[in-house]
Amino acid sequence: MQTSWTQADLTAIEAAIATGARRVRFQTHEVEYQSMADLLKARDVIRDALCKPETDSNVLFAEYSGGY
């Protein structure tokens, strides 16, 4: 199973959904989905993976309230 999705992968699967195609070429391989429902599920997995914030973030938020 692929773990590192790209925006290009999401674009490819969305294009397939828009045209009704069931075969999608990703980075290094091609997948033929059995149904539109499978395509939609795959799109959601890719979209969620791309939108998910990284847990190893170096961002720190601090809040200060009080006197000097």
Side-chain angles (χ1 to χ4, degrees):
M1 180 173 179
Q2 183 166 342
T3 58
S4 183
W5 297 105
T6 67
Q7 183 61 45
D9 296 329
L10 182 58
T11 300
I13 204 162
E14 286 177 337
I17 291 167
T19 62
R22 292 184 316 166
R23 184 172 288 182
V24 182
R25 176 169 291 284
F26 293 109
Q27 297 170 25
T28 59
H29 60 285
E30 189 171 271
V31 177
E32 185 168 351
Y33 293 91
Q34 296 300 313
S35 67
M36 183 59 67
D38 290 339
L39 274 165
L40 294 170
K41 287 178 194 174
R43 180 208 53 200
D44 293 344
V45 167
I46 295 169
R47 187 187 305 160
D48 289 347
L50 291 175
C51 295
K52 182 178 171 183
E54 293 192 24
T55 57
D56 294 352
S57 176
N58 290 329
V59 177
L60 176 64
F61 292 97
E63 183 177 322
Y64 176 77
S65 64
Y68 332 101

Short mmCIF file of all heavy atoms in Angstrom, two decimals:
data_model
loop_
_atom_site.label_atom_id
_atom_site.label_comp_id
_atom_site.label_asym_id
_atom_site.label_seq_id
_atom_site.Cartn_x
_atom_site.Cartn_y
_atom_site.Cartn_z
N MET A 1 0.84 -1.19 0.00
CA MET A 1 0.00 0.00 0.00
C MET A 1 0.88 1.24 0.00
O MET A 1 1.87 1.33 0.70
CB MET A 1 -0.90 -0.01 1.24
CG MET A 1 -1.80 1.17 1.32
SD MET A 1 -2.96 0.96 2.68
CE MET A 1 -3.82 2.48 2.51
N GLN A 2 0.48 2.20 -0.79
CA GLN A 2 1.24 3.44 -0.89
C GLN A 2 0.98 4.30 0.33
O GLN A 2 -0.14 4.42 0.77
CB GLN A 2 0.83 4.18 -2.16
CG GLN A 2 1.62 5.43 -2.36
CD GLN A 2 1.44 5.96 -3.75
OE1 GLN A 2 1.02 5.26 -4.63
NE2 GLN A 2 1.80 7.20 -3.96
N THR A 3 2.03 4.91 0.84
CA THR A 3 1.84 5.75 2.02
C THR A 3 2.17 7.21 1.75
O THR A 3 1.88 8.06 2.57
CB THR A 3 2.73 5.26 3.18
OG1 THR A 3 4.09 5.27 2.75
CG2 THR A 3 2.33 3.87 3.61
N SER A 4 2.80 7.49 0.63
CA SER A 4 3.22 8.85 0.35
C SER A 4 2.50 9.38 -0.90
O SER A 4 3.01 9.29 -2.00
CB SER A 4 4.74 8.88 0.15
OG SER A 4 5.17 10.19 -0.05
N TRP A 5 1.32 9.91 -0.71
CA TRP A 5 0.53 10.42 -1.82
C TRP A 5 0.97 11.83 -2.18
O TRP A 5 1.49 12.56 -1.35
CB TRP A 5 -0.95 10.45 -1.44
CG TRP A 5 -1.51 9.09 -1.17
CD1 TRP A 5 -1.80 8.57 0.05
CD2 TRP A 5 -1.82 8.09 -2.13
NE1 TRP A 5 -2.30 7.30 -0.10
CE2 TRP A 5 -2.32 6.97 -1.42
CE3 TRP A 5 -1.73 8.01 -3.51
CZ2 TRP A 5 -2.73 5.80 -2.06
CZ3 TRP A 5 -2.15 6.85 -4.14
CH2 TRP A 5 -2.64 5.76 -3.42
N THR A 6 0.74 12.21 -3.42
CA THR A 6 1.09 13.55 -3.88
C THR A 6 -0.17 14.24 -4.42
O THR A 6 -1.19 13.60 -4.68
CB THR A 6 2.13 13.51 -5.01
OG1 THR A 6 1.53 12.90 -6.17
CG2 THR A 6 3.37 12.73 -4.58
N GLN A 7 -0.06 15.53 -4.61
CA GLN A 7 -1.15 16.30 -5.22
C GLN A 7 -1.44 15.77 -6.61
O GLN A 7 -2.59 15.74 -7.05
CB GLN A 7 -0.81 17.78 -5.24
CG GLN A 7 -1.93 18.65 -5.78
CD GLN A 7 -3.21 18.57 -4.97
OE1 GLN A 7 -3.17 18.62 -3.74
NE2 GLN A 7 -4.35 18.44 -5.64
N ALA A 8 -0.40 15.33 -7.33
CA ALA A 8 -0.59 14.78 -8.67
C ALA A 8 -1.46 13.52 -8.63
O ALA A 8 -2.26 13.28 -9.53
CB ALA A 8 0.76 14.47 -9.31
N ASP A 9 -1.30 12.70 -7.58
CA ASP A 9 -2.13 11.50 -7.43
C ASP A 9 -3.60 11.89 -7.24
O ASP A 9 -4.49 11.28 -7.83
CB ASP A 9 -1.66 10.66 -6.24
CG ASP A 9 -0.26 10.11 -6.43
OD1 ASP A 9 0.14 9.85 -7.59
OD2 ASP A 9 0.44 9.95 -5.42
N LEU A 10 -3.83 12.89 -6.41
CA LEU A 10 -5.20 13.36 -6.18
C LEU A 10 -5.79 13.91 -7.48
O LEU A 10 -6.94 13.62 -7.82
CB LEU A 10 -5.23 14.42 -5.08
CG LEU A 10 -6.61 14.96 -4.72
CD1 LEU A 10 -7.56 13.84 -4.27
CD2 LEU A 10 -6.49 16.03 -3.64
N THR A 11 -5.02 14.67 -8.21
CA THR A 11 -5.48 15.22 -9.49
C THR A 11 -5.82 14.10 -10.47
O THR A 11 -6.84 14.17 -11.16
CB THR A 11 -4.40 16.15 -10.07
OG1 THR A 11 -4.16 17.21 -9.15
CG2 THR A 11 -4.83 16.71 -11.41
N ALA A 12 -5.00 13.07 -10.51
CA ALA A 12 -5.23 11.95 -11.43
C ALA A 12 -6.52 11.22 -11.10
O ALA A 12 -7.32 10.91 -11.99
CB ALA A 12 -4.05 10.99 -11.39
N ILE A 13 -6.75 10.97 -9.83
CA ILE A 13 -7.97 10.23 -9.48
C ILE A 13 -9.21 11.11 -9.65
O ILE A 13 -10.26 10.62 -10.06
CB ILE A 13 -7.86 9.61 -8.07
CG1 ILE A 13 -8.82 8.42 -7.97
CG2 ILE A 13 -8.13 10.61 -6.98
CD1 ILE A 13 -8.53 7.48 -6.84
N GLU A 14 -9.09 12.39 -9.41
CA GLU A 14 -10.22 13.28 -9.63
C GLU A 14 -10.55 13.39 -11.12
O GLU A 14 -11.72 13.47 -11.49
CB GLU A 14 -9.94 14.65 -9.03
CG GLU A 14 -10.03 14.64 -7.51
CD GLU A 14 -9.70 15.96 -6.86
OE1 GLU A 14 -8.99 16.79 -7.48
OE2 GLU A 14 -10.14 16.17 -5.71
N ALA A 15 -9.53 13.37 -11.97
CA ALA A 15 -9.76 13.39 -13.42
C ALA A 15 -10.47 12.12 -13.87
O ALA A 15 -11.39 12.17 -14.70
CB ALA A 15 -8.44 13.56 -14.16
N ALA A 16 -10.08 10.99 -13.31
CA ALA A 16 -10.73 9.73 -13.65
C ALA A 16 -12.20 9.76 -13.23
O ALA A 16 -13.08 9.32 -13.98
CB ALA A 16 -10.01 8.56 -12.98
N ILE A 17 -12.47 10.27 -12.04
CA ILE A 17 -13.84 10.37 -11.56
C ILE A 17 -14.66 11.27 -12.48
O ILE A 17 -15.80 10.94 -12.85
CB ILE A 17 -13.88 10.89 -10.10
CG1 ILE A 17 -13.30 9.83 -9.15
CG2 ILE A 17 -15.29 11.31 -9.70
CD1 ILE A 17 -13.00 10.33 -7.76
N ALA A 18 -14.09 12.37 -12.89
CA ALA A 18 -14.81 13.33 -13.75
C ALA A 18 -15.15 12.74 -15.11
O ALA A 18 -16.20 13.08 -15.69
CB ALA A 18 -13.98 14.60 -13.92
N THR A 19 -14.30 11.86 -15.62
CA THR A 19 -14.53 11.29 -16.96
C THR A 19 -15.19 9.92 -16.92
O THR A 19 -15.55 9.39 -17.95
CB THR A 19 -13.21 11.18 -17.74
OG1 THR A 19 -12.34 10.29 -17.04
CG2 THR A 19 -12.55 12.54 -17.91
N GLY A 20 -15.31 9.35 -15.73
CA GLY A 20 -15.90 8.02 -15.62
C GLY A 20 -14.92 6.89 -15.85
O GLY A 20 -15.32 5.73 -15.92
N ALA A 21 -13.65 7.20 -15.99
CA ALA A 21 -12.64 6.17 -16.20
C ALA A 21 -12.42 5.39 -14.91
O ALA A 21 -12.55 5.94 -13.82
CB ALA A 21 -11.32 6.80 -16.65
N ARG A 22 -12.10 4.12 -15.04
CA ARG A 22 -11.83 3.31 -13.85
C ARG A 22 -10.35 3.00 -13.69
O ARG A 22 -9.93 2.46 -12.68
CB ARG A 22 -12.61 2.00 -13.90
CG ARG A 22 -14.10 2.22 -13.79
CD ARG A 22 -14.83 0.92 -13.74
NE ARG A 22 -14.29 0.01 -14.75
CZ ARG A 22 -14.51 -1.29 -14.80
NH1 ARG A 22 -15.27 -1.85 -13.91
NH2 ARG A 22 -14.00 -2.03 -15.75
N ARG A 23 -9.56 3.35 -14.66
CA ARG A 23 -8.12 3.08 -14.61
C ARG A 23 -7.37 4.38 -14.36
O ARG A 23 -7.59 5.38 -15.05
CB ARG A 23 -7.65 2.47 -15.92
CG ARG A 23 -6.20 2.06 -15.90
CD ARG A 23 -5.84 1.29 -17.12
NE ARG A 23 -6.47 -0.01 -16.99
CZ ARG A 23 -6.34 -0.99 -17.86
NH1 ARG A 23 -5.63 -0.81 -18.94
NH2 ARG A 23 -6.93 -2.14 -17.65
N VAL A 24 -6.48 4.36 -13.36
CA VAL A 24 -5.74 5.57 -12.97
C VAL A 24 -4.26 5.25 -12.89
O VAL A 24 -3.86 4.24 -12.30
CB VAL A 24 -6.23 6.09 -11.59
CG1 VAL A 24 -5.49 7.36 -11.20
CG2 VAL A 24 -7.72 6.31 -11.57
N ARG A 25 -3.45 6.11 -13.49
CA ARG A 25 -2.00 5.96 -13.39
C ARG A 25 -1.50 6.89 -12.31
O ARG A 25 -1.73 8.09 -12.34
CB ARG A 25 -1.30 6.29 -14.70
CG ARG A 25 0.22 6.23 -14.58
CD ARG A 25 0.94 6.29 -15.89
NE ARG A 25 0.74 5.11 -16.71
CZ ARG A 25 1.35 3.94 -16.50
NH1 ARG A 25 2.15 3.78 -15.49
NH2 ARG A 25 1.14 2.93 -17.32
N PHE A 26 -0.81 6.28 -11.33
CA PHE A 26 -0.21 7.04 -10.24
C PHE A 26 1.28 7.19 -10.51
O PHE A 26 1.72 6.99 -11.64
CB PHE A 26 -0.48 6.36 -8.90
CG PHE A 26 -1.94 6.38 -8.51
CD1 PHE A 26 -2.68 5.22 -8.54
CD2 PHE A 26 -2.55 7.55 -8.14
CE1 PHE A 26 -4.02 5.23 -8.18
CE2 PHE A 26 -3.89 7.58 -7.79
CZ PHE A 26 -4.62 6.40 -7.82
N GLN A 27 2.06 7.51 -9.51
CA GLN A 27 3.49 7.79 -9.66
C GLN A 27 4.22 6.70 -10.44
O GLN A 27 4.89 6.97 -11.43
CB GLN A 27 4.13 7.98 -8.29
CG GLN A 27 3.57 9.16 -7.54
CD GLN A 27 4.03 9.17 -6.10
OE1 GLN A 27 5.07 8.63 -5.76
NE2 GLN A 27 3.25 9.78 -5.24
N THR A 28 4.10 5.46 -9.99
CA THR A 28 4.88 4.38 -10.62
C THR A 28 4.03 3.20 -11.03
O THR A 28 4.56 2.18 -11.44
CB THR A 28 5.96 3.88 -9.64
OG1 THR A 28 5.32 3.42 -8.44
CG2 THR A 28 6.95 4.98 -9.31
N HIS A 29 2.73 3.30 -10.89
CA HIS A 29 1.88 2.16 -11.21
C HIS A 29 0.50 2.61 -11.68
O HIS A 29 0.16 3.77 -11.59
CB HIS A 29 1.75 1.23 -9.99
CG HIS A 29 1.14 1.88 -8.81
ND1 HIS A 29 1.80 2.77 -8.00
CD2 HIS A 29 -0.11 1.79 -8.29
CE1 HIS A 29 1.00 3.19 -7.04
NE2 HIS A 29 -0.17 2.61 -7.19
N GLU A 30 -0.23 1.63 -12.18
CA GLU A 30 -1.56 1.91 -12.69
C GLU A 30 -2.55 1.00 -11.95
O GLU A 30 -2.26 -0.16 -11.70
CB GLU A 30 -1.60 1.62 -14.19
CG GLU A 30 -2.86 2.05 -14.87
CD GLU A 30 -2.73 1.93 -16.37
OE1 GLU A 30 -2.27 2.90 -17.00
OE2 GLU A 30 -3.07 0.86 -16.90
N VAL A 31 -3.70 1.55 -11.60
CA VAL A 31 -4.72 0.80 -10.86
C VAL A 31 -6.03 0.87 -11.63
O VAL A 31 -6.42 1.93 -12.11
CB VAL A 31 -4.92 1.40 -9.45
CG1 VAL A 31 -6.03 0.67 -8.71
CG2 VAL A 31 -3.62 1.36 -8.66
N GLU A 32 -6.71 -0.28 -11.74
CA GLU A 32 -8.05 -0.29 -12.32
C GLU A 32 -9.03 -0.59 -11.19
O GLU A 32 -8.98 -1.64 -10.56
CB GLU A 32 -8.18 -1.34 -13.42
CG GLU A 32 -9.54 -1.26 -14.08
CD GLU A 32 -9.63 -2.07 -15.35
OE1 GLU A 32 -8.61 -2.57 -15.83
OE2 GLU A 32 -10.75 -2.18 -15.87
N TYR A 33 -9.92 0.35 -10.93
CA TYR A 33 -10.90 0.22 -9.86
C TYR A 33 -12.13 -0.51 -10.39
O TYR A 33 -12.47 -0.41 -11.56
CB TYR A 33 -11.27 1.60 -9.31
CG TYR A 33 -10.11 2.24 -8.60
CD1 TYR A 33 -9.21 3.06 -9.27
CD2 TYR A 33 -9.88 2.00 -7.25
CE1 TYR A 33 -8.13 3.63 -8.61
CE2 TYR A 33 -8.80 2.56 -6.58
CZ TYR A 33 -7.93 3.37 -7.27
OH TYR A 33 -6.86 3.92 -6.63
N GLN A 34 -12.80 -1.23 -9.52
CA GLN A 34 -13.97 -2.02 -9.91
C GLN A 34 -15.23 -1.18 -10.08
O GLN A 34 -16.10 -1.55 -10.85
CB GLN A 34 -14.22 -3.12 -8.87
CG GLN A 34 -13.09 -4.13 -8.78
CD GLN A 34 -12.87 -4.84 -10.10
OE1 GLN A 34 -13.81 -5.31 -10.73
NE2 GLN A 34 -11.62 -4.91 -10.53
N SER A 35 -15.30 -0.07 -9.36
CA SER A 35 -16.52 0.73 -9.41
C SER A 35 -16.22 2.19 -9.10
O SER A 35 -15.14 2.52 -8.60
CB SER A 35 -17.53 0.21 -8.39
OG SER A 35 -17.04 0.43 -7.08
N MET A 36 -17.19 3.03 -9.36
CA MET A 36 -17.06 4.45 -9.03
C MET A 36 -16.97 4.61 -7.51
O MET A 36 -16.24 5.47 -7.02
CB MET A 36 -18.25 5.23 -9.59
CG MET A 36 -18.17 6.71 -9.34
SD MET A 36 -16.71 7.53 -10.04
CE MET A 36 -17.01 7.36 -11.78
N ALA A 37 -17.66 3.77 -6.77
CA ALA A 37 -17.60 3.83 -5.30
C ALA A 37 -16.16 3.59 -4.83
O ALA A 37 -15.68 4.27 -3.90
CB ALA A 37 -18.54 2.81 -4.68
N ASP A 38 -15.45 2.67 -5.47
CA ASP A 38 -14.05 2.41 -5.11
C ASP A 38 -13.17 3.61 -5.43
O ASP A 38 -12.27 3.95 -4.66
CB ASP A 38 -13.52 1.17 -5.83
CG ASP A 38 -14.14 -0.11 -5.32
OD1 ASP A 38 -14.66 -0.12 -4.19
OD2 ASP A 38 -14.09 -1.12 -6.06
N LEU A 39 -13.44 4.25 -6.56
CA LEU A 39 -12.69 5.46 -6.92
C LEU A 39 -12.91 6.57 -5.90
O LEU A 39 -11.97 7.24 -5.48
CB LEU A 39 -13.13 5.97 -8.30
CG LEU A 39 -12.45 5.36 -9.51
CD1 LEU A 39 -13.25 5.69 -10.76
CD2 LEU A 39 -11.05 5.87 -9.63
N LEU A 40 -14.15 6.74 -5.50
CA LEU A 40 -14.47 7.79 -4.53
C LEU A 40 -13.82 7.51 -3.17
O LEU A 40 -13.31 8.43 -2.53
CB LEU A 40 -15.98 7.92 -4.37
CG LEU A 40 -16.72 8.43 -5.62
CD1 LEU A 40 -18.23 8.29 -5.45
CD2 LEU A 40 -16.32 9.84 -5.96
N LYS A 41 -13.79 6.26 -2.76
CA LYS A 41 -13.13 5.89 -1.50
C LYS A 41 -11.63 6.18 -1.59
O LYS A 41 -11.04 6.72 -0.65
CB LYS A 41 -13.36 4.42 -1.18
CG LYS A 41 -14.75 4.11 -0.72
CD LYS A 41 -14.89 2.61 -0.47
CE LYS A 41 -16.35 2.22 -0.32
NZ LYS A 41 -16.51 0.76 -0.22
N ALA A 42 -11.03 5.80 -2.72
CA ALA A 42 -9.59 6.03 -2.90
C ALA A 42 -9.30 7.53 -2.90
O ALA A 42 -8.31 7.97 -2.29
CB ALA A 42 -9.12 5.40 -4.21
N ARG A 43 -10.14 8.32 -3.56
CA ARG A 43 -9.96 9.76 -3.56
C ARG A 43 -9.99 10.32 -2.14
O ARG A 43 -9.17 11.15 -1.76
CB ARG A 43 -11.05 10.43 -4.39
CG ARG A 43 -10.90 11.96 -4.41
CD ARG A 43 -12.18 12.70 -4.61
NE ARG A 43 -13.19 12.30 -3.65
CZ ARG A 43 -14.49 12.50 -3.82
NH1 ARG A 43 -14.93 13.08 -4.92
NH2 ARG A 43 -15.36 12.13 -2.91
N ASP A 44 -10.93 9.83 -1.34
CA ASP A 44 -11.04 10.31 0.04
C ASP A 44 -9.81 9.95 0.87
O ASP A 44 -9.34 10.75 1.67
CB ASP A 44 -12.30 9.75 0.70
CG ASP A 44 -13.58 10.31 0.07
OD1 ASP A 44 -13.50 11.33 -0.65
OD2 ASP A 44 -14.65 9.71 0.30
N VAL A 45 -9.27 8.76 0.66
CA VAL A 45 -8.05 8.34 1.37
C VAL A 45 -6.88 9.25 1.00
O VAL A 45 -6.15 9.72 1.87
CB VAL A 45 -7.71 6.87 1.04
CG1 VAL A 45 -6.31 6.51 1.50
CG2 VAL A 45 -8.73 5.94 1.68
N ILE A 46 -6.73 9.52 -0.29
CA ILE A 46 -5.63 10.38 -0.75
C ILE A 46 -5.82 11.79 -0.22
O ILE A 46 -4.88 12.40 0.29
CB ILE A 46 -5.54 10.37 -2.29
CG1 ILE A 46 -5.17 8.97 -2.78
CG2 ILE A 46 -4.52 11.40 -2.77
CD1 ILE A 46 -5.29 8.79 -4.28
N ARG A 47 -7.02 12.32 -0.34
CA ARG A 47 -7.30 13.68 0.13
C ARG A 47 -7.03 13.81 1.63
O ARG A 47 -6.42 14.77 2.08
CB ARG A 47 -8.75 14.06 -0.17
CG ARG A 47 -9.03 15.52 0.14
CD ARG A 47 -10.49 15.88 0.00
NE ARG A 47 -11.02 15.56 -1.30
CZ ARG A 47 -12.32 15.42 -1.56
NH1 ARG A 47 -13.20 15.56 -0.60
NH2 ARG A 47 -12.74 15.14 -2.76
N ASP A 48 -7.48 12.82 2.40
CA ASP A 48 -7.25 12.86 3.84
C ASP A 48 -5.76 12.81 4.17
O ASP A 48 -5.29 13.49 5.08
CB ASP A 48 -7.97 11.70 4.54
CG ASP A 48 -9.48 11.87 4.55
OD1 ASP A 48 -9.97 12.99 4.25
OD2 ASP A 48 -10.16 10.88 4.86
N ALA A 49 -5.02 11.99 3.43
CA ALA A 49 -3.58 11.89 3.67
C ALA A 49 -2.86 13.20 3.36
O ALA A 49 -1.93 13.59 4.07
CB ALA A 49 -2.98 10.75 2.84
N LEU A 50 -3.31 13.89 2.32
CA LEU A 50 -2.67 15.15 1.95
C LEU A 50 -3.05 16.30 2.88
O LEU A 50 -2.26 17.21 3.10
CB LEU A 50 -3.05 15.54 0.52
CG LEU A 50 -2.47 14.65 -0.58
CD1 LEU A 50 -3.01 15.07 -1.93
CD2 LEU A 50 -0.95 14.70 -0.58
N CYS A 51 -4.24 16.25 3.44
CA CYS A 51 -4.72 17.33 4.31
C CYS A 51 -4.38 17.12 5.77
O CYS A 51 -4.53 18.03 6.58
CB CYS A 51 -6.23 17.47 4.16
SG CYS A 51 -6.71 18.01 2.52
N LYS A 52 -3.94 15.93 6.11
CA LYS A 52 -3.63 15.61 7.50
C LYS A 52 -2.37 16.34 7.95
O LYS A 52 -1.34 16.24 7.30
CB LYS A 52 -3.42 14.10 7.61
CG LYS A 52 -3.16 13.60 8.99
CD LYS A 52 -3.01 12.08 8.93
CE LYS A 52 -2.54 11.54 10.23
NZ LYS A 52 -2.32 10.09 10.16
N PRO A 53 -2.45 17.08 9.04
CA PRO A 53 -1.24 17.77 9.51
C PRO A 53 -0.21 16.76 10.01
O PRO A 53 -0.56 15.72 10.56
CB PRO A 53 -1.75 18.64 10.67
CG PRO A 53 -3.01 18.01 11.11
CD PRO A 53 -3.59 17.31 9.90
N GLU A 54 1.03 17.08 9.77
CA GLU A 54 2.10 16.21 10.22
C GLU A 54 2.22 16.26 11.73
O GLU A 54 2.12 17.31 12.35
CB GLU A 54 3.42 16.61 9.57
CG GLU A 54 3.43 16.38 8.09
CD GLU A 54 4.81 16.51 7.50
OE1 GLU A 54 5.79 16.34 8.25
OE2 GLU A 54 4.91 16.78 6.31
N THR A 55 2.48 15.11 12.33
CA THR A 55 2.58 15.04 13.79
C THR A 55 3.96 15.45 14.28
O THR A 55 4.13 15.73 15.45
CB THR A 55 2.27 13.62 14.29
OG1 THR A 55 3.17 12.71 13.65
CG2 THR A 55 0.84 13.25 13.97
N ASP A 56 4.93 15.50 13.39
CA ASP A 56 6.29 15.86 13.78
C ASP A 56 6.56 17.35 13.61
O ASP A 56 7.70 17.77 13.44
CB ASP A 56 7.32 15.09 12.95
CG ASP A 56 7.28 13.61 13.23
OD1 ASP A 56 6.58 13.20 14.17
OD2 ASP A 56 7.96 12.86 12.52
N SER A 57 5.54 18.14 13.65
CA SER A 57 5.68 19.56 13.42
C SER A 57 6.59 20.21 14.46
O SER A 57 6.55 19.88 15.64
CB SER A 57 4.31 20.22 13.45
OG SER A 57 4.44 21.61 13.31
N ASN A 58 7.39 21.15 14.02
CA ASN A 58 8.27 21.89 14.91
C ASN A 58 7.64 23.21 15.33
O ASN A 58 8.32 24.07 15.85
CB ASN A 58 9.62 22.15 14.24
CG ASN A 58 10.42 20.89 14.10
OD1 ASN A 58 10.31 19.99 14.92
ND2 ASN A 58 11.22 20.81 13.04
N VAL A 59 6.37 23.37 15.08
CA VAL A 59 5.68 24.60 15.43
C VAL A 59 5.24 24.52 16.88
O VAL A 59 4.68 23.53 17.33
CB VAL A 59 4.46 24.82 14.52
CG1 VAL A 59 3.71 26.06 14.94
CG2 VAL A 59 4.90 24.91 13.07
N LEU A 60 5.48 25.59 17.59
CA LEU A 60 5.09 25.66 18.99
C LEU A 60 4.27 26.92 19.20
O LEU A 60 4.67 28.00 18.78
CB LEU A 60 6.35 25.71 19.88
CG LEU A 60 6.13 25.89 21.37
CD1 LEU A 60 5.39 24.68 21.94
CD2 LEU A 60 7.46 26.06 22.08
N PHE A 61 3.11 26.76 19.80
CA PHE A 61 2.27 27.90 20.09
C PHE A 61 2.33 28.16 21.59
O PHE A 61 2.17 27.25 22.39
CB PHE A 61 0.82 27.64 19.68
CG PHE A 61 0.66 27.55 18.19
CD1 PHE A 61 0.64 26.33 17.56
CD2 PHE A 61 0.53 28.70 17.42
CE1 PHE A 61 0.50 26.24 16.18
CE2 PHE A 61 0.39 28.62 16.06
CZ PHE A 61 0.38 27.40 15.44
N ALA A 62 2.56 29.40 21.96
CA ALA A 62 2.63 29.77 23.38
C ALA A 62 1.62 30.88 23.64
O ALA A 62 1.35 31.72 22.78
CB ALA A 62 4.03 30.23 23.72
N GLU A 63 1.11 30.89 24.84
CA GLU A 63 0.17 31.93 25.22
C GLU A 63 0.65 32.50 26.54
O GLU A 63 1.09 31.78 27.42
CB GLU A 63 -1.23 31.34 25.39
CG GLU A 63 -2.26 32.37 25.72
CD GLU A 63 -3.66 31.76 25.82
OE1 GLU A 63 -3.97 30.87 25.01
OE2 GLU A 63 -4.39 32.18 26.73
N TYR A 64 0.58 33.82 26.62
CA TYR A 64 1.01 34.48 27.84
C TYR A 64 -0.10 35.41 28.30
O TYR A 64 -0.65 36.16 27.51
CB TYR A 64 2.29 35.29 27.59
CG TYR A 64 2.73 36.08 28.79
CD1 TYR A 64 3.36 35.46 29.85
CD2 TYR A 64 2.46 37.43 28.88
CE1 TYR A 64 3.76 36.18 30.96
CE2 TYR A 64 2.84 38.16 29.98
CZ TYR A 64 3.49 37.53 31.03
OH TYR A 64 3.88 38.24 32.13
N SER A 65 -0.41 35.34 29.56
CA SER A 65 -1.35 36.30 30.12
C SER A 65 -0.89 36.64 31.52
O SER A 65 -0.41 35.79 32.24
CB SER A 65 -2.77 35.72 30.13
OG SER A 65 -2.82 34.60 30.98
N GLY A 66 -1.00 37.85 31.83
CA GLY A 66 -0.57 38.28 33.16
C GLY A 66 0.24 39.58 33.09
O GLY A 66 0.29 40.24 32.06
N GLY A 67 0.88 39.88 34.18
CA GLY A 67 1.67 41.11 34.26
C GLY A 67 2.97 41.00 33.48
O GLY A 67 3.14 40.14 32.65
N TYR A 68 3.89 41.91 33.84
CA TYR A 68 5.12 41.90 33.09
C TYR A 68 5.81 40.63 33.34
O TYR A 68 6.56 40.11 33.75
CB TYR A 68 6.09 43.03 33.42
CG TYR A 68 5.52 44.29 33.92
CD1 TYR A 68 5.52 44.61 35.26
CD2 TYR A 68 5.01 45.21 33.04
CE1 TYR A 68 5.05 45.79 35.72
CE2 TYR A 68 4.54 46.41 33.51
CZ TYR A 68 4.57 46.70 34.83
OH TYR A 68 4.11 47.88 35.28
#
